[in-house]
Amino acid sequence: MGSVARLGSEEQRERWLPRMAAMEKIGAFALTEPTGGSDVAAGLRTTARREGDTWVLNGAKRWIGNATFADYVIVWAKDEGDGQVKGFVVDRGSPGFTATKIENKIALRTVQNADLTFENVLVPEENRLAGAASFKDTATILRQTRGGVAWQAVGCMIGAYERALAYSKEREQFGRPIASFQLVQDLLVRMLGNVTSSLGMVVRLAQLQDDDVYRDEHSALAKAFCTARMREAVGWGREIMAGNGIVLDYGMGRFVADSEAIYSYEGTREINTLIVGRAITGEGAFV
């Protein structure tokens, strides 16, 4: 929905957004590819070739959430004509479009991710996002999604903190709750510090978004910082729960697994760090 709202024409917004907002239609966002991750800006291999009023898409995508059941999939592909990245709305059921569920995930199991293939998939010109002319336009969507992942990181560490705190009050060793031990309290305080600082950052990011003055480096900093703090906090929570922290029965195992996924996607910590570094120094350190 964010891609259509920001980069679609008025006609496209009117055509797709109301039904998606009403949950009558489901969308998916397809950028990541099987052989590409951090290099997606320059290494996109999915192609689009214009033939009259129709575009022909070929390539593959991976880790695409919702894609096995989505009605519309926003597909980012490199225009063979000018070499620029453009966005296309592909309807489910289009000939040559295949979505296969990724099995055996240990994290973010509530999300159904898929591998996608495009073999001469035909997309009408009216389904090309009008405002997407290069990867710079695609990056404006990543600015939004990275902020959302920062919020996910905060939610994950809040959940881990609450679970660890409750467990420490219930679990007894040496005849008393482990919450009464200094070292356990130290870990809980560290977790709370990470939660509080990260929550403050994402609230500020939301304010910048509301004022429409936020930039790439703002969401990149929030994503990099909050996911790193989440990973620490969840690790401390697991430490408090010892062996019980790695089984699903006690609730912490899910946070441990999810934190690893949240830490990596929507731009690794390293890539987001370089985005912020470029903004504050004026020097690009990308290779």
Side-chain angles (χ1 to χ4, degrees):
M1 289 182 67
S3 300
V4 175
R6 179 168 288 271
L7 300 177
S9 65
E10 184 60 33
E11 183 276 329
Q12 289 172 332
R13 290 193 290 268
E14 292 177 357
R15 188 183 355 152
W16 289 310
L17 290 181
R19 298 190 69 185
M20 294 173 75
M23 298 298 287
E24 296 172 0
K25 295 290 184 179
I26 302 298
F29 179 93
L31 177 62
T32 302
E33 298 186 342
T35 58
S38 298
D39 64 346
V40 67
L44 208 65
R45 296 188 178 183
T46 299
T47 62
R49 183 180 70 257
R50 185 165 186 172
E51 296 182 353
D53 290 333
T54 301
W55 292 84
V56 183
L57 269 57
N58 283 283
K61 300 290 182 180
R62 183 166 173 80
W63 295 115
I64 311 306
N66 291 359
T68 54
F69 55 87
D71 300 286
Y72 311 123
V73 180
I74 306 289
V75 180
W76 301 95
K78 184 173 291 186
D79 183 352
E80 291 184 357
D82 62 10
Q84 297 298 322
V85 174
K86 294 179 171 62
F88 302 86
V89 179
V90 177
D91 293 329
R92 182 174 63 179
S94 297
F97 169 59
T98 304
T100 305
K101 180 183 177 182
I102 296 176
E103 303 286 355
N104 303 318
K105 286 171 54 183
I106 66 168
L108 297 181
R109 289 170 58 85
T110 189
V111 181
Q112 192 171 118
N113 296 91
D115 284 311
L116 307 183
T117 57
F118 306 89
E119 297 181 3
N120 295 319
V121 175
L122 303 182
V123 181
E125 165 64 12
E126 64 184 17
N127 278 26
R128 179 182 62 83
L129 290 179
S134 71
F135 190 79
K136 288 184 178 180
D137 299 314
T138 313
T140 65
I141 308 303
L142 297 178
R143 183 190 307 161
Q144 293 178 303
T145 56
R146 282 172 178 152
V149 176
W151 275 100
Q152 288 181 349
V154 173
C156 182
M157 71 176 105
I158 287 175
Y161 168 75
E162 291 177 343
R163 183 80 282 277
L165 177 60
Y167 180 87
S168 72
K169 294 178 179 180
E170 300 162 0
R171 176 71 169 176
E172 291 191 357
Q173 292 282 284
F174 303 102
R176 56 179 181 167
I178 63 173
S180 67
F181 298 158
Q182 291 180 349
L183 295 180
V184 170
Q185 289 188 7
D186 175 66
L187 292 176
L188 288 170
V189 171
R190 291 188 192 186
M191 292 179 74
L192 183 59
N194 280 15
V195 167
T196 304
S197 60
S198 297
L199 183 58
M201 179 174 284
V202 291
V203 167
R204 180 56 184 149
L205 179 65
Q207 292 170 342
L208 294 174
Q209 289 176 311
D210 282 344
D211 294 338
D212 200 25
V213 295
Y214 77 114
R215 299 188 298 271
D216 291 344
E217 57 266 31
H218 294 146
S219 58
L221 178 61
K223 201 281 177 178
F225 179 84
C226 294
T227 55
R229 300 294 78 74
M230 166 201 63
R231 211 180 191 196
E232 289 177 342
V234 170
W236 292 327
R238 205 289 309 163
E239 187 176 344
I240 289 171
M241 297 178 67
N244 288 336
I246 65 169
V247 293
L248 295 176
D249 310 63
Y250 292 85
M252 185 62 70
R254 175 170 61 88
F255 295 119
V256 172
D258 284 354
S259 69
E260 289 302 308
I262 296 170
Y263 181 74
S264 294
Y265 82 104
E266 290 302 332
T268 62
R269 186 197 65 80
E270 292 81 3
I271 289 297
N272 281 302
T273 295
L274 293 179
I275 292 172
V276 180
R278 180 177 59 192
I280 63 178
T281 66
E283 299 286 347
F286 291 90
V287 176

